[in-house]
């Protein structure tokens, strides 16, 4: 079992890092910039906050240093492969962050079926929706889902059970 | 906490495992005046440890056996070499799997105990009748329902056998998934009914009613409204002051003397120091996967093939948790992430039917079963974008407007499907890892395809705008651990008798899902618990007569 306090610490760290503009500790600058650019395409900033505002890169940074150490290599190799692919798909491009959003999407689509993409996507979703108990939910991941984080409810719960539970519908 | 028992003084009964079975046995025996020690390998967690942290409880599997410490290997047939994999999933703490279970609490039907007589033999399987009937077990279903608190509506299930008592609590409030499921099922002429669940719909015996938080599966209940063994029978046992629940105690071996009687159990304590607890009798309740492993690890000169294994059947006839999941999208919000998992079920396809051309059947429920992160990863149907701005525009609608249906399908008992000891791999304590050999019977697969089609019909009849599924169970892991020490009258064809006493060892009892002869339609816990109460009643009578 991964050390659980470390999971919680990673979430808290992500929140704080976003607030204070802190630099990642484990990832080097280039890897961090790549990850931020990629995860921001996985959960983009639209009318509502996305992975960037949620500090997903900081969540991943802390995770790889602690409870996801086993995946350090997957990230190293995965990012290297993506950068190689970038160079062939977009000759002359300088880096992943330097691509246009459309180019980044095309790049991600080309690796969609790889284990690294699955890992990156999973970590993005985790960082985007991590429990607010550990530092708030500034990205509004819950708003995107329509999840009402009351954690205690009374019927009716939805539109269809309103009548069965004494309402009008 | 009662004063600890001394390891050198033999206790009347030593119970291995503290789940639905072990907890109930310990409660009954201690209330009858016997001294009981329960050895549980997992920690003693309580309500204060149970939060809604999805990363911790779902993704880090906080309440579930950890294959990094206790690895397992898997293969489909004995011809293959097994490789590392997680196949047998169970709760590893005081209260076992009942701490984090979904709490569906189904009695078996009368037919479940005599399907071989009803259907006939099935080549290549050990399809048999149970040595007991529904009416033998009925008083103990009732006892369990009242001891722990079960919510349901007596008489609503048109297929249920006679009941001596109604449920102690009324059904839980219906969710939108339940209303829609009921609508669809009725249109098709089926007879849906309120799901029986081991969750409190009202305050009950000092415990508080469910707050509908939506964190049942894989989470512990911080309100103790889930009727887990932890919240109920374990505490009743401790209140007798005759039962010590010793957590962080991993039993490695059951010891026997020259007469072939068990004398106690060797175990590792929290510091991995080896200890021994003496006992006059041992009751193994370590679940359908760990129980056979422990018996096989307890081999000796007198029992060279494992304890209680003269039949050679310890570990064999493993049955799997098979099921099919179908989901539907609806026009208005269901908000089904709220409250308990399941509020309606249908049993119209429960009985096997020759006209289908295969043996099998299932109970079908409706549920949602996802928390936010899980939904973000898995909730949008596979034919739609799984990331990016389009995904972001869809994921909320699918979170609030979706429900699923899970069918719980039969799993035929085959001798080649088994638990045994891996010849190479060891766990973190140096004990042999569990090896799982399992493949499905062709009828199991045909049955799942059949149930999948029925589930789709129900969701379509309920008015779903889109219906999708991922095909019959992809055979990942099993959370319902059944077979492996089957009960029967013939010592050559079974491991325990109809009172769960080992045929080979007079003061050894084995009570949990391992006793099952057939799989029912999954949701085994009510039956495991009823068997445990019945076995305990027999142990008490026998011990009083000096026959243990
Ligand atoms: C996610 C999930 C959801 C589920 N939902 C449902 C449901 O809705 N309905 C239903 O009917 N069932 C459900 N189940 C199954 C249910 O949890 C089990 O049927 C039930 O807990 C079995 O009870 P048991 O006492 O036989 O075994 P367990 O509950 O597994 O208890 C056995 C205990 O023995 C301990 N143990 C094992 N080996 C040793 C050893 N060597 N030494 C010491 N201790 C040991 C284990 O740690 C465990 O605590 C679910 C299971 C899971 C994992």
């Amino acid at each position: 079992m991964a050390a659980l306090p470390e999971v919680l610490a990673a979430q808290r760290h992500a929140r704080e890092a976003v607030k204070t503009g802190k630099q990642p500790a484990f990832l080097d600058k280039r890897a961090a910039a790549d990850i931020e650019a990629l995860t921001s395409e996985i959960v983009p900033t639209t009318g509502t906050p996305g992975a960037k505002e949620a500090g997903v890169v900081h969540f991943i940074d802390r995770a790889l240093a602690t409870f996801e150490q086993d995946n350090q290599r997957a990230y190293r190799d995965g990012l290297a492969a993506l950068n190689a692919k970038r160079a062939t798909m977009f000759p002359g491009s300088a880096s992943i962050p330097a691509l246009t959003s459309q180019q980044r999407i095309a790049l991600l689509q080309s690796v969609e079926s790889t284990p690294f993409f699955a890992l990156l996507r999973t970590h993005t979703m985790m960082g985007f929706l991590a429990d607010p108990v550990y530092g708030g939910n500034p990205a509004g991941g819950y708003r995107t889902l329509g999840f009402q984080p009351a954690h205690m409810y009374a019927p009716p719960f939805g539109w269809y059970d309103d009548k069965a539970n004494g309402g009008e519908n | 906490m009662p004063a600890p028992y001394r390891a050198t003084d033999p206790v009347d009964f030593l119970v291995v495992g503290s789940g639905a079975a072990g907890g109930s046995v310990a409660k009954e025996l201690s209330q009858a005046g016997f001294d009981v020690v329960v050895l549980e390998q997992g920690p003693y967690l309580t309500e204060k440890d149970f939060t809604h942290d999805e990363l911790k409880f779902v993704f880090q599997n906080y309440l579930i056996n950890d294959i990094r410490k206790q690895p397992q290997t898997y293969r489909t047939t004995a011809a293959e070499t097994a490789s590392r994999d997680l196949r047998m999933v169970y709760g590893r703490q005081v209260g076992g799997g009942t701490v984090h279970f979904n709490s569906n609490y189904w009695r078996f039907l009368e037919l479940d105990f005599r399907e071989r007589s009803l259907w006939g033999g099935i080549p290549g399987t050990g399809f048999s009748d149970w040595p007991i009937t529904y009416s033998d077990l009925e008083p103990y279903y009732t006892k369990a329902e009242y001891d722990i608190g079960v919510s349901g509506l007596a008489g609503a299930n048109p297929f249920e056998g006679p009941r001596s008592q109604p449920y102690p609590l009324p059904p839980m409030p219906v969710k939108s998934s339940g209303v829609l499921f009921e609508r669809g099922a009725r249109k098709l002429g089926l007879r849906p009914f309120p799901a029986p669940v081991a969750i409190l719909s009202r305050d009950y015996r000092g415990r508080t009613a469910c707050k509908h938080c939506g964190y049942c599966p894989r989470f512990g209940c911080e309100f103790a409204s889930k009727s887990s063994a932890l919240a109920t029978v374990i505490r009743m046992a401790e209140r007798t002051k005759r039962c010590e629940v010793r957590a962080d105690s991993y039993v490695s071996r059951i010891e026997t003397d020259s007469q072939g009687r068990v004398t106690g159990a060797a175990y590792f304590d929290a510091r991995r120091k080896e200890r021994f607890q003496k006992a006059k009798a041992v009751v193994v309740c370590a679940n359908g996967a760990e129980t056979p492993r422990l018996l096989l690890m307890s081999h000796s000169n007198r029992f060279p093939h494992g304890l209680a294994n003269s039949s050679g059947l310890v570990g064999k006839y493993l049955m799997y948790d098979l099921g099919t999941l179908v989901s539907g999208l609806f026009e208005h919000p269901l908000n089904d992430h709220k409250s308990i998992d399941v509020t309606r079920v249908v049993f119209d396809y429960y009985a096997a039917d020759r006209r289908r051309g295969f043996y099998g059947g299932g109970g079908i429920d409706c549920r949602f079963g996802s928390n936010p992160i899980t939904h973000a990863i898995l909730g949008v149907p596979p034919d739609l974008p799984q990331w990016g701005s389009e995904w972001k525009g869809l994921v909320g609608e699918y979170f609030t407007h979706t429900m699923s249906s899970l069918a719980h399908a039969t799993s035929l008992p085959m001798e080649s499907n088994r638990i045994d000891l891996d010849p190479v791999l060891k766990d973190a304590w140096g004990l042999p890892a569990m090896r799982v050999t399992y493949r499905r019977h062709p009828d199991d697969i045909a049955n799942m395809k059949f149930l999948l089609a029925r589930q789709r019909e129900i969701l379509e009849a309920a008015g779903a705008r889109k219906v999708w599924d991922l095909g019959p169970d992809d055979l990942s892991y099993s959370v319902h651990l059944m077979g492996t020490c089957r009960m029967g009258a013939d010592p050559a064809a079974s491991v325990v008798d109809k009172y769960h006493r080992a045929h080979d060892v007079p003061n050894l009892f084995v009570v949990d899902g391992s006793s099952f002869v057939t799989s029912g339609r999954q949701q085994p816990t009510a039956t495991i618990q009823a068997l445990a109460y019945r076995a305990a009643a027999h142990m008490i009578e026998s011990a009083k007569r000096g026959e243990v």
Side-chain angles (χ1 to χ4, degrees), chain A residues 1-2 4 8 11 41-42 44 46 48-49 112 117 121 134 144-145 148 151 153 157-161 165, chain B residues 52-53 55 60-62 66 68 174 176 211-213 331-333 335 338 377 386-388 392 396 399:
Chain A
M1 191 149 302
L4 297 163
L8 313 183
Q11 294 170 10
E41 299 299 346
I42 294 175
T46 49
T48 55
E112 241 185 308
F117 179 80
R121 177 177 174 271
Y134 308 104
T144 297
L145 244 58
Q148 306 154 34
H151 294 270
Y153 309 96
F157 307 113
W159 193 85
Y160 298 97
D161 63 292
N165 287 312
Chain B
H52 292 178
D53 182 342
L55 281 186
Q60 305 284 332
N61 283 327
Y62 186 55
D66 181 358
R68 276 170 291 184
V174 69
S176 280
K211 304 285 184 286
H212 309 290
C213 76
E331 187 183 355
H332 299 289
N335 297 331
K338 299 177 184 177
I377 296 171
Q386 297 295 306
W387 55 277
K392 202 176 169 207
F399 188 69

Side-chain angles (χ1 to χ4, degrees), chain B residues 80-302:
Chain B
E80 299 166 16
T81 305
S83 51
R84 266 175 183 257
D85 205 350
L86 170 65
R87 289 286 159 169
M88 301 285 113
V89 168
Y90 62 85
R92 191 184 186 278
Q93 54 269 321
V94 172
T98 63
V99 172
H100 59 64
F101 81 150
N102 302 35
S103 302
N104 293 301
Y105 207 77
W106 299 1
R107 289 183 177 201
F108 275 13
L109 303 188
E110 289 173 295
L111 66 86
D112 281 309
F113 299 90
R114 50 191 185 91
E115 275 200 286
R116 161 82 198 233
S117 299
L118 294 168
W119 183 270
I122 300 176
T125 75
F127 195 50
S128 310
D129 287 347
W130 292 49
I132 58 172
T133 63
Y134 173 81
S135 59
D136 291 329
L137 211 48
E138 199 287 329
Y140 303 101
Y141 277 123
T142 299
K143 194 156 192 200
E145 287 167 0
Y146 276 77
D147 264 5
I148 70 171
V150 174
S151 301
L153 185 62
N157 174 0
F159 306 96
E160 190 172 72
R163 319 174 54 95
S164 54
Q165 295 287 333
Y167 286 101
L169 291 152
M172 294 290 291
V174 69
K175 301 208 297 178
S176 280
S177 56
V179 171
L180 288 166
F181 184 78
E182 189 162 326
R183 185 182 295 171
R186 283 204 197 289
K187 267 197 201 155
L188 298 169
L190 309 174
R191 287 159 285 178
F193 61 93
V197 290
I199 297 172
L200 303 182
S201 58
R202 304 245 170 97
D203 293 353
Y204 188 68
R205 299 190 179 173
R207 287 158 54 218
T208 181
C210 172
K211 304 285 184 286
H212 309 290
C213 76
Y215 287 82
C216 271
R218 301 224 171 210
F219 293 85
C221 183
E222 69 271 35
F223 301 110
S225 309
K226 186 190 286 191
S227 300
S228 68
L230 173 69
T232 62
V233 285
I234 295 281
R235 286 183 182 144
M236 295 179 201
E238 288 181 332
R239 278 199 292 273
T240 66
K241 307 242 185 283
R242 290 186 160 278
C243 176
E244 181 200 341
V245 178
R246 211 175 284 163
D248 302 304
S249 301
Y250 179 22
V251 177
S252 55
R253 184 175 172 80
I254 296 163
E255 215 58 72
T256 44
D257 63 15
S258 56
Q259 263 77 59
R261 292 175 56 85
V262 302
T263 55
Y267 66 98
F268 292 101
D269 70 10
R271 284 182 216 88
R272 299 203 182 173
K273 192 168 157 8
E274 279 198 273
R275 300 187 172 273
F276 191 81
Q277 174 65 53
K278 283 193 182 175
K280 294 178 194 159
V282 172
V283 192
V284 183
C285 303
N287 76 43
E290 290 291 358
T291 286
R293 172 168 173 254
L294 178 57
L295 295 179
L296 294 173
M297 289 196 298
S298 304
H299 62 82
S300 60
N301 285 340
R302 193 184 173 103

Side-chain angles (χ1 to χ4, degrees), chain B residues 373-494:
Chain B
I373 299 173
T374 316
H375 178 81
I377 296 171
L378 297 170
V380 173
D383 61 324
L384 295 175
Q386 297 295 306
W387 55 277
S389 56
E390 264 189 89
W391 169 85
K392 202 176 169 207
L394 289 168
V395 66
E397 189 187 3
Y398 279 88
F399 188 69
T400 49
H401 290 57
T402 298
M403 65 176 267
S404 298
S405 162
L406 187 61
H408 306 271
T410 40
S411 169
L412 276 164
M414 296 196 279
E415 193 175 348
S416 53
N417 289 339
R418 66 185 297 194
I419 301 285
D420 66 356
L421 305 179
D422 192 276
V424 183
L425 192 64
K426 300 275 185 275
D427 73 6
W429 289 259
L431 301 174
M434 175 188 300
R435 178 168 66 179
V436 182
T437 307
Y438 179 81
R439 77 192 148 94
R440 295 170 293 183
H441 189 278
D443 281 15
D444 294 341
I445 299 169
N447 181 45
M448 283 194 279
K449 290 186 179 149
F450 168 80
L451 291 169
L452 200 70
R454 305 289 80 72
Q455 292 166 275
R456 293 191 71 103
E457 281 167 7
I458 295 172
L459 290 193
E460 275 154 16
R465 282 161 39 187
K466 179 182 172 86
V467 175
W468 70 100
D469 68 73
L470 306 173
D473 194 300
D474 70 343
L475 249 198
S476 47
Y477 53 77
S478 180
V479 304
H480 299 152
L481 312 175
M482 301 173 289
T484 70
C485 291
R486 49 174 27 196
M487 53 154 61
D490 178 2
S494 57

